[in-house]
Amino acid sequence: MAFTYTDLVEVDLDKLGTAVSDWKKSVDALKTAAENARTGMQAKRPRVFGCRVLLSA
């Protein structure tokens, strides 16, 4: 199927704009979740300074 100039000029881009907006919201939410996970893990990380653990088999 070939597109004409008129087909391209009259194309409705509202759906594309909505899709882009939805993806941006999803990306922002994932970035926020990743940051919350990262800071949450850092807050719960055990603080061990200068300790050496010896394991014997």
Side-chain angles (χ1 to χ4, degrees):
M1 176 179 162
F3 292 105
T4 65
Y5 177 76
T6 305
D7 292 335
L8 295 175
V9 170
E10 293 177 354
V11 70
D12 182 16
L13 296 177
D14 287 337
K15 290 181 181 180
L16 179 61
T18 301
V20 169
S21 176
D22 290 346
W23 274 108
K24 183 177 181 335
K25 289 176 188 175
S26 297
V27 168
D28 291 342
L30 287 171
K31 285 180 181 178
T32 301
E35 183 61 28
N36 290 342
R38 187 173 21 263
T39 57
M41 287 182 212
Q42 288 176 349
K44 295 178 183 178
R45 184 178 357 161
R47 297 175 187 233
V48 180
F49 301 103
C51 292
R52 180 184 287 187
V53 177
L54 300 175
L55 300 175
S56 59

